[in-house]
Amino acid sequence: MRTLLTTIAATALAACTATAQDRGEVRTPEGALLDTSADLHYAPGELTEAQLQASNGDMFEQSSMNVFRRFPRELTEEMVNFYVNALGLRSLNPIQLTSTQQMILTGVGSGQVKLSAGQQGDRQYDLSGGITGGTGIRYLRFTYPDADVVRERFAAVGLPVPTFTQEDGFASAVLSDPAGLGIVIAIHPEAQDRSDDGVGVGIAVSDLAASRAFYREFVGLEEGEPFTSEQLGLTLYPYAHAETTLLLYEVGDGLPADTGSSGIQYVVSDAALAAARADYRDIPVETPLNRLAGFDLTTVWLNDPDGVTNYFAQVGPNSRTAREAAGD
C-alpha cells in the first residue's frame, strides 16, 4: 500500500474546534487556522452595481472544478485505497494542513478529488437512502474506456468487482465508496483512463428552480439540456465548466440534507469579488472570506440552496499551486 496511507495521523478535531471557537478563531474542518481580517474585503461602494450583479463564471482560472470528499477519520485508509487504487485516480502530493493533518489529493484531468477526514461544526454526514435518499451531493460519476481494466483494479485491492449493465447506450455500474457516497462508473471507448476527461457530480435538490438559478446566475456555469438517465431513473440538469459537470436532479422537500460529506471548489481570480456578490444576493456564508495561513490561498465558502458547500478559491503567486504550475 502506498506510504500515503501510513502518513495520515489522527487528531482530536472536536477538541481543536471547540478551543478555536472559544478564542474566536475560524478553522477548516481539518483544523487549519484561517485569517478572516476585514481588509480582505472590498470596501463599501468600491464595486459597481453591474459588477455585483454579474455571475462568477468569468473568473474561473482552472479548466475544471475540484471536489472535496469529507469522511469520518477512521475510514481514511479505505477511502484512499478506493479512490487511488480501485478507481485509479492519480495520486498527487498531499497538503500538510497542520502538524497532524493532511489533505489527500487525487487528480482527475486538470481537476482534483480532495480526500479530507474531518467535519465542521454541525455539518452532517447523512448519505442514508442512497442517491435519492436526501439532498446534497449524492454521487460522483467517473468514465473509463475499458470495463475489464476497472474490474482488475478492484479485484487487485480486494474490493468487490463492479457489475456493469447496459443502460443509456453504454455499460455502467453503480456502487458506493467506503463512506457511503454513490459512485457511477461509465464505460465509453473514447474516454481517457482514470477518468481524466473529468468528473460528474450528482446533486439532489429540493427546489430545482432555485438550484438551477444559483448555479447558472451566481456561479456562472454553462447550462445544458436536461436528459433522462435510464439507469438512475432520474432527469438530470447539467451545469458545466469545461471538464466538470454538475448534474442536478430534484428529490423534493422533507428529505434529510447531507451538507458535510462533499463540496465543490472553483479556482477563481478574485475570491473577494465572489464574497461581495454573495453578500449582495444574500447567499448563505458557511466560512467567511479568509486567507489560509502559510498557503497564500484566499477563499470564501458559500452554500447553495440546499446547503452544499461551494468554495471559491484564489491562489496567490506564492501558493503551492502557483509554484507547481511555474515548475518550481
Side-chain angles (χ1 to χ4, degrees), residues 14-27 120-122:
C16 173
T17 301
T19 303
Q21 290 173 344
D22 292 341
R23 294 196 299 265
E25 296 175 348
V26 177
R27 292 182 180 269
Q120 183 174 11
D122 61 355

Side-chain angles (χ1 to χ4, degrees), residues 24 33 57 59 88 91 133 179 195 214 254 305 307 325:
L33 181 63
M59 296 199 298
S91 179
S195 203
F214 175 85

Side-chain angles (χ1 to χ4, degrees), residues 43-80:
E46 189 174 355
L47 297 171
T48 67
E49 192 80 6
Q51 287 174 306
L52 292 170
Q53 289 178 346
S55 79
N56 294 293
D58 60 352
M59 296 199 298
F60 294 152
E61 295 278 283
Q62 179 177 292
S63 297
S64 55
M65 301 174 247
N66 299 321
V67 180
F68 277 82
R69 177 69 185 99
R70 302 194 187 283
F71 51 87
R73 296 186 184 283
E74 63 271 17
L75 295 178
T76 298
E77 185 170 329
E78 294 177 55
M79 289 289 282
V80 174

Side-chain angles (χ1 to χ4, degrees), residues 66-70 103 114 116 261-265 311:
N66 299 321
V67 180
F68 277 82
R69 177 69 185 99
R70 302 194 187 283
M103 180 172 291
K114 301 170 182 278
S116 182
S261 67
S262 302
I264 307 299
Q265 183 191 59
Y311 306 76

